[in-house]
Amino acid sequence: MLFDKRLIFVTGKGGTGKTTLSAAIGKAASKMGKRVLVVDTSEGGALGTLFSRGALLSEPVDLDSNIQGVRINPKKVLEEYIQKYISIGFIANRIIRAELFEHLAEATPGLREIMTLGQIWRWEKRKDEQDEYIYDMIVVDTPATGHGISLLKQPRTLVEMLRFGPIAGQTRAVQEMLQNKDKTALFLVTAPEELPVNEAVQFIRVAEEELNMEIGRIVVNGLYSELFSPEEIVMIDKIPENGPNPEKKAYDIIIDSAKTYISRKRTQNYHVDRLQQSIGQELLRIPYFFTNALSELEIDAISGLLRQREPS
Amino acid sequence: MTFLEQLDKVGIVICCGSGGVGKTTISAALGIHGALTGRKTLVLTIDPANRLADSLGVGAFEHEEQRIPEEKFHSIGLRPSGELYAMMLDTARTFDRLISKYAISEAMRESILENRYYQHLSSTLAGSYEYMAMEKMFEIYNEKRYDLIILDTPPSRNALDFIEAPNRISNLFGNNLFRKILRPYMDAGKAGMKMFRLFASPFQHMIRKMFGGRVMDDLFDFFHLGDDTFLDGFRSRADAMKSILSGSDTLFLAAAGPNAAPMNEAMFLHQRLKESDLPFGGFIINRVHPLLPDIFQTPAFDEMEFDPDLLDKLIKNYRNFQALGISDALSVRQLAKTAGPGVKIQTIPYFEVDVFDFTGLYRIYEHLLET
């Protein structure tokens, strides 16, 4: 069950709607009474705007009842980590210290990713005075780069290089958290188009073979609904196309729109079928919204769909 | 100057933007322009979309440069005076090849390739497509075999990673502070290490505490193996890349779609290019829905002979696309406002079928011709 997990990494090709789905999963879980943290790993602030506010901050803030949001700044996490776990009080000069962090991060590719995951790991473990978890679920909107594979793969390569020391220790713990299938799942978002579907199929293979992580749910985002009946489609198909013509009548315009709709719907169906055939689980289908700026209303609608599909 | 005329004056065009906006297709269409203006043009991509390769008539993109058969142009009645080539980047081995290039001896090359720090570095950086793309483009540019190179930038966490890539590598290999910090450690040599630890600098102390002593040794080996000639090779290469990127032979373009996220990314990119004083050619906004006329003002609306139920659906559908057209137009208008006067914006309409054939690429090219 997706909503039994404590940690969900939302992955997918850029432009498929990862951020939208991250927000919707967060909302759905909070409606089930869970305390949720949604995590933005990007440098923009898109996740915040879906909750009708600006870019998220580096400390969790309330977004809605039971939902907090945060944006991870790997540089800041690294600084805090070093201050907290490794005493370097002897470097008094803040500017030199900042420069050292910068060089350290530059010289160790992958350190930013590890710091991001390490921070998520600490939030996951965080408990209050009654020894209860502060968060029941953490939803991570992963970076668009290669489905966030580079983020999720990093622990392994870093451990290979380090083997010992505090960072290697933390990295091992992070690795365990990622591969704990009772606790952690991937949530794959794709779109009903050529490239997103191809990449989703590739990602499923990588998740199983290389990341050893579970894919909890696969969603196709932006699907046109079944507006016209099969008979109506046959009828509209029969109406001849009319080319570009500035004097179009109302009739031509609405038929053009209907033809557009039907043709896109066919392309979408083709790609969705292709995806469905190559995966083992049932796809969750999210409808298309006719706007290019989603708001909380659409997020609520999607979160409703996510909850419906979860047996109570 | 029209949008495409800008391309005629440069040797490198870098097409940036977030994933999913059709950058590869746009890059291929720009390539058609190169060939039609008499230039030997190369489109460099990492895109694995084989259907696009099919449409260009090259089977599958390979890691070697491939000529797009002239028959493709002939099939749509064109006689290009230039040539079009395409190539897919091979990201895996680029880094090792570089080591071989700059290593001054076989022994040095092998020791570096076996060094654990190097292995980590190269495996992580090999995933860093932006650096590899940069590297390859620079190599080809220096060979001067093409009049125009169009780079379809890889999807990155942030389109700017690409611009920063040479800087990052330069810092890594050539940064004075970093080398100064390691230098005493290196001079002490392995024999003197125990003694040396007593005097370790705060930076080394920090590395040792965080990563453990082994890493320090690996780092030492790596920087020791790579002597100054080797490191300087990397550094001067990065500096040269930087100066070409900011020179007058390069043009950056920002591709986006009308949706909020890629739009914001493109505006952010533009802002950063401006700040860094890099040459910007304008925005290409792909998949824009047309503004539909208001049917209730056109005659004969009442004369339609549809069953009322179907008519309702047809009108609902029309209204959806009308709303989308307005939404997209507003989004483009907002971009124009934010970018300021004089910044070129070229829109390409939403095509009903995925663009995966040469005719489709040519249609995109035709839209780019409009100003």
Side-chain angles (χ1 to χ4, degrees):
Chain A
M1 286 311 101
L2 187 76
F3 288 92
D4 293 342
K5 309 287 185 206
R6 291 186 41 75
L7 187 53
I8 293 175
F9 287 90
V10 182
T11 71
K13 181 176 159 64
T16 53
K18 277 189 299 291
T19 306
T20 307
L21 265 303
S22 301
I25 297 166
K27 280 214 170 185
S30 77
K31 289 263 164 61
M32 296 170 165
K34 293 176 188 292
R35 284 151 306 169
V36 183
L37 177 68
V38 290
V39 181
D40 189 350
T41 58
S42 73
E43 286 172 38
L47 190 53
T49 56
L50 290 177
F51 288 93
S52 314
R53 54 179 302 140
L56 299 173
L57 310 171
S58 60
E59 283 300 316
V61 292
D62 289 328
L63 295 176
D64 207 336
S65 64
N66 276 337
I67 306 189
Q68 292 198 317
V70 73
R71 185 158 62 104
I72 291 190
N73 176 349
K75 214 164 119 186
K76 206 162 168 235
V77 177
L78 176 62
E79 227 177 292
E80 280 169 9
Y81 177 84
I82 292 175
Q83 263 158 19
K84 205 162 174 183
Y85 297 92
I86 294 161
S87 82
I88 51 150
F90 49 86
I91 309 178
N93 188 328
R94 267 200 68 85
I95 297 167
I96 292 182
R97 209 155 63 193
E99 236 177 305
L100 289 179
F101 292 135
E102 197 60 34
H103 293 305
L104 190 60
E106 296 285 358
T108 319
L111 194 60
R112 287 173 207 274
E113 283 85 355
I114 289 301
M115 285 298 135
T116 299
L117 292 170
Q119 179 64 67
I120 292 167
W121 173 71
R122 286 192 289 279
W123 278 322
E124 195 272 325
K125 290 190 308 178
R126 196 177 281 180
K127 291 188 172 176
D128 62 14
E129 293 90 14
Q130 281 84 48
D131 205 35
E132 301 268 345
Y133 281 119
I134 303 237
Y135 300 113
D136 300 312
M137 182 188 271
I138 299 179
V139 183
V140 184
D141 181 13
T142 65
T145 320
H147 287 80
I149 289 175
S150 59
L151 174 73
L152 299 169
K153 238 186 191 170
Q154 215 40 250
R156 189 178 300 179
T157 64
L158 200 66
V159 164
E160 275 164 22
M161 169 173 122
L162 299 174
R163 304 243 305 268
F164 312 109
I167 293 218
Q170 181 193 305
T171 307
R172 276 201 192 86
V174 163
Q175 174 89 334
E176 266 165 40
M177 165 185 86
L178 292 182
Q179 297 185 347
N180 182 339
K181 292 177 179 170
D182 294 330
K183 203 182 246 185
T184 307
L186 296 166
F187 186 103
L188 176 59
V189 187
T190 186
E193 294 168 43
E194 174 87 18
L195 294 186
V197 165
N198 295 353
E199 290 186 23
V201 172
Q202 274 171 20
F203 178 77
I204 294 166
R205 192 189 51 75
V206 171
E208 284 167 4
E209 293 172 12
E210 293 179 44
L211 299 175
N212 192 19
M213 291 179 72
E214 182 185 298
I215 299 187
R217 178 78 36 99
I218 303 170
V219 308
V220 189
N221 191 22
L223 276 172
Y224 287 172
S225 60
E226 304 286 347
L227 179 63
F228 300 109
S229 72
E231 298 76 33
E232 287 165 343
I233 291 174
V234 171
M235 202 202 101
I236 294 166
D237 275 345
K238 278 186 189 147
I239 303 173
E241 298 255 357
N242 55 89
N245 168 12
E247 298 298 309
K248 273 188 188 175
K249 301 242 163 53
Y251 173 86
D252 302 323
I253 294 164
I254 67 166
I255 292 301
D256 278 355
S257 294
K259 281 180 178 290
T260 298
Y261 178 91
I262 291 167
S263 125
R264 290 192 196 174
K265 177 75 186 148
R266 278 196 187 114
T267 310
Q268 289 195 340
N269 286 345
Y270 165 75
H271 292 301
V272 173
D273 291 348
R274 208 157 59 83
L275 178 61
Q276 184 65 76
Q277 277 162 19
S278 61
I279 60 169
Q281 59 176 281
E282 201 188 333
L283 287 169
L284 177 57
R285 294 153 198 246
I286 308 285
Y288 180 73
F289 295 97
F290 284 82
T291 171
N292 55 39
L294 293 185
S295 71
E296 271 192 278
L297 285 175
E298 286 88 22
I299 303 296
D300 282 340
I302 298 173
S303 106
L305 279 173
L306 290 170
R307 272 187 298 148
Q308 267 174 30
R309 292 289 301 271
E310 203 59 25
S312 46
Chain B
M1 212 185 325
T2 67
F3 198 91
L4 287 178
E5 273 167 12
Q6 300 181 97
L7 270 62
D8 305 344
K9 300 188 176 320
V10 297
I12 295 176
V13 171
I14 298 176
C15 192
C16 307
S18 42
V21 300
K23 269 196 307 250
T24 306
T25 312
I26 291 170
S27 301
L30 295 172
I32 291 182
H33 173 77
L36 291 179
T37 49
R39 306 177 80 194
K40 191 177 171 193
T41 306
L42 174 70
V43 178
L44 203 55
T45 182
I46 64 146
D47 200 287
N50 281 330
R51 279 177 61 187
L52 183 66
D54 286 345
S55 72
L56 287 169
V58 292
F61 279 139
E62 286 179 15
H63 300 318
E64 301 294 321
E65 299 143 54
Q66 281 172 287
R67 172 108 189 245
I68 310 306
E70 211 151 308
E71 294 76 60
K72 282 283 158 188
F73 287 91
H74 297 170
S75 71
I76 53 171
L78 297 171
R79 301 270 153 192
S81 45
E83 299 166 15
L84 181 59
Y85 293 77
M87 177 185 176
M88 194 166 108
L89 283 168
D90 177 9
T91 55
R93 311 250 38 106
T94 310
F95 216 66
D96 290 355
R97 280 218 328 269
L98 271 182
I99 296 296
S100 308
K101 191 163 168 178
Y102 289 114
I104 48 170
S105 69
E106 182 63 16
M108 181 176 176
R109 190 185 78 87
E110 272 176 24
S111 315
I112 290 177
L113 295 180
E114 279 164 19
N115 181 271
R116 270 182 302 250
Y117 177 71
Y118 168 74
Q119 284 169 358
H120 171 73
L121 201 66
S122 69
S123 70
T124 310
L125 287 179
S128 136
Y129 289 118
E130 55 268 16
Y131 177 67
M132 293 305 148
M134 203 61 223
E135 197 42 70
K136 193 71 201 171
M137 185 194 75
F138 187 64
E139 189 185 316
I140 297 173
Y141 179 78
N142 280 338
E143 291 165 4
K144 303 197 189 309
R145 286 184 290 117
Y146 291 94
D147 303 318
L148 175 63
I149 302 171
I150 293 162
L151 181 70
D152 166 28
T153 64
S156 47
R157 175 174 191 159
N158 148 1
L160 291 164
D161 283 354
F162 180 74
I163 304 165
E164 316 262 332
N167 264 337
R168 233 181 310 143
I169 299 299
S170 171
N171 281 347
L172 183 57
F173 288 110
N175 191 281
N176 282 330
L177 183 60
F178 187 54
R179 287 169 79 183
K180 227 189 296 172
I181 291 162
L182 278 170
R183 178 65 73 193
Y185 187 90
M186 288 155 72
D187 291 344
K190 273 194 164 164
M193 200 134 22
K194 262 187 197 152
M195 257 279 274
F196 172 72
R197 276 178 189 154
L198 294 171
F199 307 104
S201 78
F203 181 71
Q204 290 163 13
H205 188 70
M206 182 163 87
I207 293 190
R208 192 174 293 283
K209 279 194 110 169
M210 282 177 71
F211 296 122
R214 215 190 68 157
V215 167
M216 202 67 213
D217 296 345
D218 286 339
L219 267 176
F220 161 76
D221 280 347
F222 180 69
F223 282 91
H224 182 71
L225 287 166
D227 67 356
D228 282 354
T229 335
F230 173 79
L231 296 177
D232 287 344
F234 269 96
R235 187 170 44 179
S236 54
R237 190 173 176 82
D239 288 345
M241 277 193 216
K242 238 161 43 185
S243 80
I244 285 170
L245 281 187
S246 54
S248 58
D249 208 26
T250 302
L251 190 70
F252 286 87
L253 299 176
N259 286 348
M263 258 324 184
N264 288 335
E265 177 94 346
M267 285 191 242
F268 183 58
L269 177 81
H270 174 229
Q271 192 54 39
R272 285 296 303 274
L273 288 171
K274 225 163 54 179
E275 284 164 15
S276 322
D277 219 11
L278 292 167
F280 183 63
F283 297 93
I284 298 175
I285 311 303
N286 197 14
R287 308 225 275 187
V288 177
H289 289 87
L291 273 173
L292 296 181
D294 194 339
I295 53 170
F296 302 101
Q297 286 177 8
T298 61
F301 179 74
D302 299 327
E303 291 162 22
M304 278 184 240
E305 292 165 355
F306 287 117
D307 140 303
D309 186 38
L310 176 57
L311 187 61
D312 277 354
K313 287 184 192 173
L314 286 168
I315 289 174
K316 180 185 170 203
N317 179 59
Y318 153 79
R319 282 198 187 287
N320 277 337
F321 281 104
Q322 189 189 31
L324 210 50
I326 292 170
S327 181
D328 286 0
L330 283 175
S331 173
V332 173
R333 188 178 295 179
Q334 184 58 44
L335 172 71
K337 228 173 174 175
T338 312
V343 177
K344 291 187 161 62
I345 299 176
Q346 196 74 38
T347 58
I348 299 172
Y350 199 116
F351 290 133
E352 287 331 315
V353 282
D354 293 348
V355 176
F356 279 117
D357 60 30
F358 203 76
T359 319
L361 288 178
Y362 186 72
R363 269 174 79 196
I364 291 193
Y365 163 68
E366 283 181 312
H367 282 284
L368 289 171
L369 272 178
E370 292 168 9
T371 36

